[in-house]
Amino acid sequence: MSTLMSAVGFGLVTAAILAICALGFTLQFAVTNVFNLAYGSIMTGGGFIAYALNSSGVNIWAAMAVAGICGGIISVGLNTLIYAPFIRHGLNLFGMVIVTIATGLICDNLVQAAVGPNFFSYHAPAGGSLRFADMIFTTQELVMIALAVILMAATRIGLTRTRTGKAMRGMSVNAALARACGIPTRLIIAITWFASGVMAAVGAVALFLDASTFSPTTTSDFLILVIAAAVLGGVGSAEGAFVGALVVGIVTEIAGAYWNPELKNVVAFGVLVAVLLARPQGIFARLSTEKEVVG
C-alpha cells in the first residue's frame, strides 16, 4: 500500500505540472485553432529565463513570475511574426501544424546553441515536507499543486464571468460570427496567446524544479505528455485538460512504480488510445471535431 500511495503522491505532482501546461495549450487551441507544437519551445525559453534570473540571485518564485510574463511575450511574438501571416493567407490546420513544428525546431536549436548541451539546476530552498496517507510532499511540490488549482479556477472564472472570457468562448465556437458581432478578435487572440505563454513558462519552471536537473531538451519529452493530457481531456476544454492531466500523471507514476519507469510514456498513450476508442472526442467532448481550417 505504501508503494501505491507514494506513486499516487508523485502522480499528483506530475499531474499538477501537466495541468498547468495542458491548460495553456488547450486554451490557445480552442480560441485560435492553431495546434501549436512549438509550445515546448516557449516552455524551454521561459525555463531558461528563470534560470538566468535565479542564477543572478533572484528568488525562484519571483523568477517564475518574471519568466511567465516573458513566456507570454514570446508566445505573442511567435503568433504575430510567424503564425498570423500564414493564417491571413488561408493556410489550413495541417499546414499550420507543419509551420509550428518547424518553428519549434528552430527555436530549440537556437536555445541549445546559446546555452550548450549541458545540464542545469535552480538554486531553490528545499523547505519542509508534509506527510499524508503515506504520501510525502515537499513545500515546492505543495506550491506546484496549489498553483495548478489556482490557475484552473482562475481560468474557469475568467471564461465564465468576464467579458474577455466570454469573447474567447464565442471565438472558440465561431470566430467569423464573433468578428461580425463586433468582438475585437485580434485583441482577444493576443490575450489568449499571452495567457498560453504565461502558463507554458510557469509550467516549465515547475517541471525543471521537480526534475532537479534539466537541459534544453527536457521539455521536448514532456510536451508529449502535455499533448496526451490535452487530447485525453478533449482538446479545447479547460476542465478536460485538468482531468486529463490527473489521469496521465497518476497512471504514469503508478506504472513507473510497479512496472518500468522508462515505459511511462507508453502507458500514458495506452490509456489515451483506450479512452479515445470509447470516446473519440476525449473525456470532455467539445471542439476537436469542429475545427478543420484555421480562421
Side-chain angles (χ1 to χ4, degrees):
M1 180 61 73
S2 61
T3 301
L4 175 62
M5 295 307 297
S6 295
V8 170
F10 287 125
L12 288 174
V13 176
T14 301
I17 300 170
L18 273 173
I20 295 170
C21 298
L23 188 59
F25 183 89
T26 201
L27 176 67
Q28 174 264 309
F29 175 77
V31 177
T32 69
N33 197 25
V34 176
F35 200 77
N36 183 24
L37 293 181
Y39 191 76
S41 300
I42 300 172
M43 292 174 63
T44 301
F48 274 95
I49 289 171
Y51 172 77
L53 293 170
N54 182 239
S55 297
S56 64
V58 177
N59 176 273
I60 186 59
W61 304 116
M64 174 187 279
V66 175
I69 295 172
C70 293
I73 294 172
I74 293 170
S75 182
V76 173
L78 285 179
N79 176 60
T80 302
L81 299 176
I82 300 176
Y83 301 152
F86 283 101
I87 294 172
R88 287 195 294 269
H89 284 83
L91 188 64
N92 62 19
L93 181 60
F94 179 75
M96 283 303 302
V97 169
I98 301 302
V99 171
T100 65
I101 292 174
T103 302
L105 288 173
I106 293 171
C107 291
D108 287 344
N109 281 280
L110 287 174
V111 171
Q112 187 156 348
V115 303
N118 304 312
F119 284 90
F120 306 85
S121 61
Y122 293 134
H123 301 292
S129 61
L130 173 68
R131 187 182 185 92
F132 175 76
D134 289 330
M135 295 183 291
I136 301 176
F137 299 101
T138 65
T139 302
Q140 291 179 2
E141 292 170 341
L142 291 173
V143 170
M144 293 174 196
I145 294 172
L147 190 59
V149 174
I150 291 170
L151 286 175
M152 177 62 212
T155 301
R156 179 62 181 168
I157 292 171
L159 289 174
T160 57
R161 303 289 180 85
T162 67
R163 293 184 63 181
T164 300
K166 292 176 181 178
M168 288 180 177
R169 290 166 59 198
M171 288 187 63
S172 71
V173 175
N174 191 319
L177 180 59
R179 191 179 300 111
C181 291
I183 291 176
T185 53
R186 289 189 179 182
L187 176 61
I188 298 302
I189 288 173
I191 292 172
T192 302
W193 278 99
F194 183 82
S196 174
V198 168
M199 292 185 217
V202 169
V205 177
L207 172 65
F208 293 170
L209 272 173
D210 186 57
S212 296
T213 60
F214 57 91
S215 72
T217 62
T218 299
T219 57
S220 299
D221 295 333
F222 194 72
L223 181 62
I224 297 173
L225 293 179
V226 172
I227 295 173
V231 173
L232 180 63
V235 176
S237 168
E239 297 88 347
F242 197 81
V243 173
L246 278 174
V247 173
V248 172
I250 293 175
V251 168
T252 53
E253 292 298 338
I254 291 176
Y258 284 97
W259 191 25
N260 187 338
E262 295 182 358
L263 298 179
K264 290 194 292 186
N265 287 3
V266 175
V267 174
F269 278 91
V271 172
L272 175 63
V273 170
V275 171
L276 294 184
L277 283 174
R279 193 172 178 81
Q281 291 178 300
I283 298 172
F284 288 80
R286 279 195 61 192
L287 303 171
S288 55
T289 61
E290 296 177 11
K291 295 178 176 284
E292 295 178 355
V293 295
V294 176

